[in-house]
Amino acid sequence: MLFMEFSAPVEYMNKTRGLLGRWDGDTSNDFEFFNGTLLPPKSSERNIFEMGSSWQVTDGDGPKKSIFQYKPGKDSSNFTSAGFIPKFTDELDFGDPDLEEEAREVCGNDTSCLFDVAETGDIEVGRLAEAEEQNFENSVFARDTFPPVIFGPDAVYVNLGDVVEIQVNVSDPAGLNLTIETGDEVPPDVSVYFNGDDVTLLWNVTSDEIFNLQLVATNTENSSAEYWPVVYMCSCRNNGSCNTSNSMDSSLVSDDERFVIMDCVCQHGYTGQQCETDIDACAANFDPCFPGVNCTDLPPPADVDGYECGECPVGYEGNGTMCQDVDECETDEGLLCQHTCINNIGNFTCGCHPGYHLSENNFNCSDIDECVMPNNCSQLCDNTDGSYNCSCWDGFSLDADGQSCQPNNPCEGGTDPGCDPVGGWCMVNGTGTAVCVCEAGYELANDSVTCLDKDECELGESHCHQLCNNTVGGYTCYCEDGYELTYDPAQPCKDIDECYEGTNNCTLNEICVNIHGTYYCVCAPGTSISNGVCVPDIPEITPPAMSTEPSSTASWQTQTDETHTDGVTAGTDGVTAVTDGVTVVTPPTSQSIAGPITEHHVAGSTTTIIISVLSASAILIVVALIFWRMSTRVKTVQLAGKSYPGSTDELVVKQIRKSETLEMKRM
């Protein structure tokens, strides 16, 4: 026989169905088949077995689907014996009248004892069953002994930093001696004091770490009772207070945890679950200042609106939150433009009339000598102020188009010796001889009839100052990497300022410096290089003594092609430097130093420059020069009715957001 006892909290009353019965105080509806059919309370064990079998789990979907986990290839059928029928105590069959008589003498009316003898045929099994029955009754008696009574407040409200006193009353109904202990999770900060039936818990609240505050009372019969209140912890910082309106919400408490961290109501200027964070009004308002304007978060009690915007960028006016472009062309500064003034967002540029180009001072306009550049004149070019005119050699006259020349006495009939018809003419000179003449950009070959292309690039007759590409009858200029082509006859190739255009890879901890066709990322003040990147310096608690004199020495480990005395060293394998100067890291897309800066090329794909012996004052001067260059740089040049890159407002806005904003915030 298998005896089983099931206990459940009273919350489950009227909520069960099946093998446990209805548990609603009515015994007439406990024996219920799965289909709802009811058995009378005094039904036979066989009928009760059939009722229980109707609740057996299956593998199919539905309310009886097994929720057990099975090994692969196994299911509920491996643990079920469909044909099994047990023996029932109300259908005893001893098979031997003498055995039955002896069993009834030993067992009396004990059904369990009689059943064991009938099934085993051994009277000694019955005697053992009787002894076990007595032990069971003793266990039931011990179980029915009333446990201690322990009583205290259902909820305990504590504040971090307080000393909390909790009064608990403990007694035993039978007057048995009691042992009182705290639960395993209770920290040493909780002390227990006894005074008769009164127990005092003294808690020095030094932490808001979650635990279960439990007190267990056990009597000499090993029957126990537990005190387990709900702890509501208020651990607000910065003078925050707790909102107790939902402190008794049952959903905040689980069966295995009764510790609730209460919500905090923060003072102005603080936020977070425990009011531990100062509200960053700049971040909360999604950087409310105008692009390029520094936003300063005000300390508490300034709340979400506690921020201040700095001054508008150069070229703007306003309160820092709203900035409007200043039309410099309406100011005295714009009047410095010799020809035209073009207002841009944040600054202005000077422009020139067709036939002129902007001088190096970015204000005056100089005449373009179109005759030193490729032009449409077939023979001679005469430069004029702002333009040019075409003319012809002796013996030729200018066509109506003002560009082409034609011989006054062209060859006729069979007098043409076979002059090149593409790049020249045939004319009869003053002596009556037919001769061949070539257009500008060509020269007559030794055969006196063929016009050969003249290589202006090879002869040095081009106006290109970097690279030249010869073409049939002329040439074109092109530029080295880091430069762009313009119509400036003196220097057609202009340096591309990657720092200003926002096409560099410098990080927020770096300042971009443009130098002759390339750029370099310089660690900003307050940062230093670590593992090849610029990171903010970590302030020390006790700063070391600082010398007012700049260091004149620098040490590093590197390999270089050449060392110069101008304070610049280029390395090929990265540099780890200890210096009071500025570490300059070349991004992967920029060019290594060349030309007038170091006059050598660095091997390798990564170049690191150490600008040593650079004082703090020199750093500020470099930053100021970068700022001046951004604010005064001429963005537009109008020449011969053409507009060049950087002249539209859209590009200027893009440049401001990508470059000037970062630089201004650093400065």
Side-chain angles (χ1 to χ4, degrees), residues 261-276:
I261 302 293
M262 292 191 290
D263 295 333
C264 292
V265 179
C266 301
Q267 295 288 330
H268 289 302
Y270 292 99
T271 186
Q273 185 176 3
Q274 296 174 303
C275 305
E276 72 279 6

PDB file of all heavy atoms in Angstrom, residues 261-276:
ATOM      1  N   ILE A 261      12.190  47.611  -3.388  1.00  0.00           N
ATOM      2  CA  ILE A 261      12.848  48.918  -3.458  1.00  0.00           C
ATOM      3  C   ILE A 261      11.796  49.920  -3.940  1.00  0.00           C
ATOM      4  O   ILE A 261      11.284  49.809  -5.058  1.00  0.00           O
ATOM      5  CB  ILE A 261      14.043  48.902  -4.425  1.00  0.00           C
ATOM      6  CG1 ILE A 261      15.066  47.842  -3.993  1.00  0.00           C
ATOM      7  CG2 ILE A 261      14.688  50.277  -4.492  1.00  0.00           C
ATOM      8  CD1 ILE A 261      15.747  48.135  -2.695  1.00  0.00           C
ATOM      9  N   MET A 262      11.456  50.876  -3.118  1.00  0.00           N
ATOM     10  CA  MET A 262      10.386  51.811  -3.448  1.00  0.00           C
ATOM     11  C   MET A 262      10.845  52.862  -4.454  1.00  0.00           C
ATOM     12  O   MET A 262      12.039  53.178  -4.560  1.00  0.00           O
ATOM     13  CB  MET A 262       9.875  52.489  -2.172  1.00  0.00           C
ATOM     14  CG  MET A 262       9.152  51.539  -1.233  1.00  0.00           C
ATOM     15  SD  MET A 262       8.272  52.412   0.096  1.00  0.00           S
ATOM     16  CE  MET A 262       9.642  52.995   1.072  1.00  0.00           C
ATOM     17  N   ASP A 263       9.870  53.378  -5.199  1.00  0.00           N
ATOM     18  CA  ASP A 263      10.148  54.447  -6.161  1.00  0.00           C
ATOM     19  C   ASP A 263      10.508  55.732  -5.432  1.00  0.00           C
ATOM     20  O   ASP A 263       9.992  56.025  -4.343  1.00  0.00           O
ATOM     21  CB  ASP A 263       8.925  54.681  -7.054  1.00  0.00           C
ATOM     22  CG  ASP A 263       8.618  53.471  -7.927  1.00  0.00           C
ATOM     23  OD1 ASP A 263       9.560  52.720  -8.217  1.00  0.00           O
ATOM     24  OD2 ASP A 263       7.445  53.294  -8.303  1.00  0.00           O
ATOM     25  N   CYS A 264      11.407  56.484  -6.075  1.00  0.00           N
ATOM     26  CA  CYS A 264      11.864  57.741  -5.481  1.00  0.00           C
ATOM     27  C   CYS A 264      11.237  58.932  -6.188  1.00  0.00           C
ATOM     28  O   CYS A 264      11.031  58.911  -7.405  1.00  0.00           O
ATOM     29  CB  CYS A 264      13.389  57.853  -5.566  1.00  0.00           C
ATOM     30  SG  CYS A 264      14.280  56.673  -4.529  1.00  0.00           S
ATOM     31  N   VAL A 265      10.928  59.958  -5.410  1.00  0.00           N
ATOM     32  CA  VAL A 265      10.531  61.259  -5.948  1.00  0.00           C
ATOM     33  C   VAL A 265      11.738  62.174  -5.758  1.00  0.00           C
ATOM     34  O   VAL A 265      12.104  62.502  -4.629  1.00  0.00           O
ATOM     35  CB  VAL A 265       9.292  61.816  -5.217  1.00  0.00           C
ATOM     36  CG1 VAL A 265       8.924  63.180  -5.781  1.00  0.00           C
ATOM     37  CG2 VAL A 265       8.121  60.845  -5.349  1.00  0.00           C
ATOM     38  N   CYS A 266      12.365  62.544  -6.876  1.00  0.00           N
ATOM     39  CA  CYS A 266      13.649  63.241  -6.824  1.00  0.00           C
ATOM     40  C   CYS A 266      13.469  64.744  -6.671  1.00  0.00           C
ATOM     41  O   CYS A 266      12.478  65.329  -7.121  1.00  0.00           O
ATOM     42  CB  CYS A 266      14.468  62.941  -8.080  1.00  0.00           C
ATOM     43  SG  CYS A 266      14.806  61.183  -8.321  1.00  0.00           S
ATOM     44  N   GLN A 267      14.465  65.360  -6.032  1.00  0.00           N
ATOM     45  CA  GLN A 267      14.526  66.814  -5.975  1.00  0.00           C
ATOM     46  C   GLN A 267      14.843  67.346  -7.367  1.00  0.00           C
ATOM     47  O   GLN A 267      15.332  66.626  -8.242  1.00  0.00           O
ATOM     48  CB  GLN A 267      15.622  67.254  -4.985  1.00  0.00           C
ATOM     49  CG  GLN A 267      15.349  66.864  -3.541  1.00  0.00           C
ATOM     50  CD  GLN A 267      14.227  67.688  -2.921  1.00  0.00           C
ATOM     51  OE1 GLN A 267      14.022  68.838  -3.283  1.00  0.00           O
ATOM     52  NE2 GLN A 267      13.482  67.085  -2.003  1.00  0.00           N
ATOM     53  N   HIS A 268      14.543  68.614  -7.588  1.00  0.00           N
ATOM     54  CA  HIS A 268      14.808  69.214  -8.889  1.00  0.00           C
ATOM     55  C   HIS A 268      16.284  69.076  -9.242  1.00  0.00           C
ATOM     56  O   HIS A 268      17.165  69.343  -8.431  1.00  0.00           O
ATOM     57  CB  HIS A 268      14.423  70.693  -8.884  1.00  0.00           C
ATOM     58  CG  HIS A 268      12.937  70.918  -8.833  1.00  0.00           C
ATOM     59  ND1 HIS A 268      12.079  70.414  -9.783  1.00  0.00           N
ATOM     60  CD2 HIS A 268      12.163  71.587  -7.942  1.00  0.00           C
ATOM     61  CE1 HIS A 268      10.843  70.761  -9.486  1.00  0.00           C
ATOM     62  NE2 HIS A 268      10.862  71.472  -8.360  1.00  0.00           N
ATOM     63  N   GLY A 269      16.517  68.644 -10.478  1.00  0.00           N
ATOM     64  CA  GLY A 269      17.881  68.544 -10.978  1.00  0.00           C
ATOM     65  C   GLY A 269      18.458  67.149 -10.897  1.00  0.00           C
ATOM     66  O   GLY A 269      19.576  66.933 -11.364  1.00  0.00           O
ATOM     67  N   TYR A 270      17.718  66.180 -10.291  1.00  0.00           N
ATOM     68  CA  TYR A 270      18.221  64.821 -10.169  1.00  0.00           C
ATOM     69  C   TYR A 270      17.248  63.853 -10.824  1.00  0.00           C
ATOM     70  O   TYR A 270      16.042  64.108 -10.922  1.00  0.00           O
ATOM     71  CB  TYR A 270      18.414  64.435  -8.700  1.00  0.00           C
ATOM     72  CG  TYR A 270      19.534  65.198  -8.028  1.00  0.00           C
ATOM     73  CD1 TYR A 270      19.258  66.306  -7.228  1.00  0.00           C
ATOM     74  CD2 TYR A 270      20.854  64.812  -8.198  1.00  0.00           C
ATOM     75  CE1 TYR A 270      20.286  67.015  -6.609  1.00  0.00           C
ATOM     76  CE2 TYR A 270      21.884  65.512  -7.578  1.00  0.00           C
ATOM     77  CZ  TYR A 270      21.595  66.611  -6.791  1.00  0.00           C
ATOM     78  OH  TYR A 270      22.606  67.298  -6.192  1.00  0.00           O
ATOM     79  N   THR A 271      17.781  62.713 -11.251  1.00  0.00           N
ATOM     80  CA  THR A 271      16.964  61.677 -11.855  1.00  0.00           C
ATOM     81  C   THR A 271      17.605  60.333 -11.535  1.00  0.00           C
ATOM     82  O   THR A 271      18.625  60.254 -10.859  1.00  0.00           O
ATOM     83  CB  THR A 271      16.852  61.876 -13.382  1.00  0.00           C
ATOM     84  OG1 THR A 271      15.923  60.919 -13.919  1.00  0.00           O
ATOM     85  CG2 THR A 271      18.203  61.682 -14.062  1.00  0.00           C
ATOM     86  N   GLY A 272      17.010  59.238 -12.022  1.00  0.00           N
ATOM     87  CA  GLY A 272      17.494  57.889 -11.746  1.00  0.00           C
ATOM     88  C   GLY A 272      16.599  57.196 -10.744  1.00  0.00           C
ATOM     89  O   GLY A 272      15.800  57.818 -10.044  1.00  0.00           O
ATOM     90  N   GLN A 273      16.729  55.868 -10.660  1.00  0.00           N
ATOM     91  CA  GLN A 273      15.889  55.087  -9.751  1.00  0.00           C
ATOM     92  C   GLN A 273      16.077  55.510  -8.307  1.00  0.00           C
ATOM     93  O   GLN A 273      15.147  55.448  -7.502  1.00  0.00           O
ATOM     94  CB  GLN A 273      16.206  53.598  -9.911  1.00  0.00           C
ATOM     95  CG  GLN A 273      15.298  52.686  -9.090  1.00  0.00           C
ATOM     96  CD  GLN A 273      15.583  51.220  -9.338  1.00  0.00           C
ATOM     97  OE1 GLN A 273      16.482  50.877 -10.076  1.00  0.00           O
ATOM     98  NE2 GLN A 273      14.815  50.354  -8.699  1.00  0.00           N
ATOM     99  N   GLN A 274      17.291  55.962  -7.974  1.00  0.00           N
ATOM    100  CA  GLN A 274      17.573  56.388  -6.599  1.00  0.00           C
ATOM    101  C   GLN A 274      17.999  57.855  -6.548  1.00  0.00           C
ATOM    102  O   GLN A 274      18.645  58.275  -5.595  1.00  0.00           O
ATOM    103  CB  GLN A 274      18.668  55.497  -6.006  1.00  0.00           C
ATOM    104  CG  GLN A 274      18.251  54.037  -5.876  1.00  0.00           C
ATOM    105  CD  GLN A 274      19.402  53.170  -5.420  1.00  0.00           C
ATOM    106  OE1 GLN A 274      20.446  53.115  -6.043  1.00  0.00           O
ATOM    107  NE2 GLN A 274      19.202  52.493  -4.308  1.00  0.00           N
ATOM    108  N   CYS A 275      17.629  58.624  -7.568  1.00  0.00           N
ATOM    109  CA  CYS A 275      17.974  60.053  -7.640  1.00  0.00           C
ATOM    110  C   CYS A 275      19.489  60.245  -7.584  1.00  0.00           C
ATOM    111  O   CYS A 275      19.985  61.233  -7.044  1.00  0.00           O
ATOM    112  CB  CYS A 275      17.312  60.841  -6.506  1.00  0.00           C
ATOM    113  SG  CYS A 275      15.513  60.641  -6.425  1.00  0.00           S
ATOM    114  N   GLU A 276      20.201  59.285  -8.151  1.00  0.00           N
ATOM    115  CA  GLU A 276      21.663  59.330  -8.064  1.00  0.00           C
ATOM    116  C   GLU A 276      22.317  60.118  -9.196  1.00  0.00           C
ATOM    117  O   GLU A 276      23.523  60.399  -9.153  1.00  0.00           O
ATOM    118  CB  GLU A 276      22.223  57.897  -8.070  1.00  0.00           C
ATOM    119  CG  GLU A 276      22.151  57.167  -9.397  1.00  0.00           C
ATOM    120  CD  GLU A 276      20.782  56.566  -9.690  1.00  0.00           C
ATOM    121  OE1 GLU A 276      19.842  56.820  -8.907  1.00  0.00           O
ATOM    122  OE2 GLU A 276      20.647  55.847 -10.691  1.00  0.00           O
TER     123      GLU A 276
END
